[in-house]
Amino acid sequence: MTATDSILIQKKSQRRQCMDARRNLTAQQRAEYSARISGSLTQLPEVQQANVIFSYAATYDEVDLKIFHQWAGAEGKILAFPVSGKGGVMEAYAPWDDDSWETGKYGILSPVPSRSDYICPEKIDLILIPCVGWDDYGGRLGHGAGYYDRYLLKCRQAAQVMVAFEAQKLDRTAQEETDQAVSCVVTESEVKRFR
């Protein structure tokens, strides 16, 4: 078994552990913690200074940022969301209105490109990054398709903030060379900065 095989096996095990932990939270806990995280985000300097924010539409068990999105919209910020395509390519689109959404790849709510504005990576001031697992070193465990790892490389000028529940925390995330570390995580309990 190669070192890469070992890391992939470890990641698979960590994903299962973190997803089980996330799903073991009650709907009420997820809603309460998501509201706390949304509130903390509004206080971050990088959020307050951002004009264009790349966020995401949550699946049922992820941190739900709807409250934050409402705040950001009221503040006049441009909110863009991911559209995932073939070959692991992800792009950012800002939907025009509530009718500009569809169920996209992996069953995730995504903007309809023909009813949204394309936002190029260079225009993004802040990226809010979901995760499956995280650690105290800026390590992020995703779903394994690498969409965010590739996209973050295109947005080096953007502030990057990971959002997660405390239940998703690991001692140390298994990492490959292509995995991008982040500089900040916001949970229901804390804002933690790395490096």
Side-chain angles (χ1 to χ4, degrees):
M1 181 186 296
T2 68
T4 302
D5 291 337
S6 176
I7 291 170
L8 291 176
I9 288 168
Q10 193 179 353
K11 278 186 166 186
K12 190 174 181 181
S13 171
Q14 287 184 344
R15 274 190 197 100
R16 194 176 309 114
Q17 174 190 335
C18 292
M19 291 181 88
D20 284 348
R22 192 167 75 184
R23 288 172 182 162
N24 283 336
L25 296 172
T26 65
Q28 184 177 345
Q29 284 174 316
R30 281 195 293 267
E32 181 186 322
Y33 297 165
S34 292
R36 277 194 221 162
I37 290 166
S38 288
S40 294
L41 286 173
T42 67
Q43 303 302 309
L44 293 184
E46 51 265 71
V47 170
Q48 293 177 354
Q49 293 160 13
N51 292 317
V52 180
I53 298 173
F54 184 52
S55 189
Y56 68 95
T59 59
Y60 83 95
D61 62 344
E62 287 181 313
V63 175
D64 190 338
L65 297 179
K66 277 192 193 115
I67 292 172
F68 172 78
H69 296 154
Q70 289 166 356
W71 172 87
E75 291 289 312
K77 298 181 186 294
I78 296 169
L79 281 170
F81 297 86
V83 173
S84 301
K86 292 179 182 172
V89 175
M90 186 165 74
E91 294 183 322
Y93 284 88
W96 295 343
D97 53 37
D98 290 343
D99 295 325
S100 300
W101 294 87
E102 65 184 353
T103 302
K105 202 167 185 178
Y106 309 113
I108 299 169
L109 207 59
S110 303
V112 178
S114 63
R115 295 189 51 77
S116 305
D117 292 322
Y118 170 74
I119 306 292
C120 65
E122 298 79 22
K123 293 273 175 71
I124 296 170
D125 301 312
L126 169 71
I127 302 176
L128 298 177
I129 309 164
C131 68
V132 175
W134 63 282
D135 65 27
D136 271 335
Y137 308 94
R140 173 186 174 269
L141 180 69
H143 284 279
Y147 283 99
Y148 277 92
D149 292 316
R150 281 186 287 275
Y151 197 74
L152 292 176
L153 292 172
K154 298 178 184 178
C155 306
R156 293 197 184 272
Q157 80 295 340
Q160 300 172 2
V161 175
M162 182 166 53
V163 292
F165 297 123
E166 286 288 340
Q168 296 169 250
K169 185 176 179 182
L170 294 161
D171 290 335
R172 195 81 188 230
T173 58
Q175 295 285 297
E176 296 171 85
E177 280 184 29
T178 53
D179 292 329
Q180 301 298 309
V182 296
S183 56
C184 178
V185 65
V186 178
T187 73
E188 71 272 18
S189 301
E190 63 180 336
V191 174
K192 194 169 188 72
R193 296 188 183 274
F194 313 105
R195 293 189 300 286

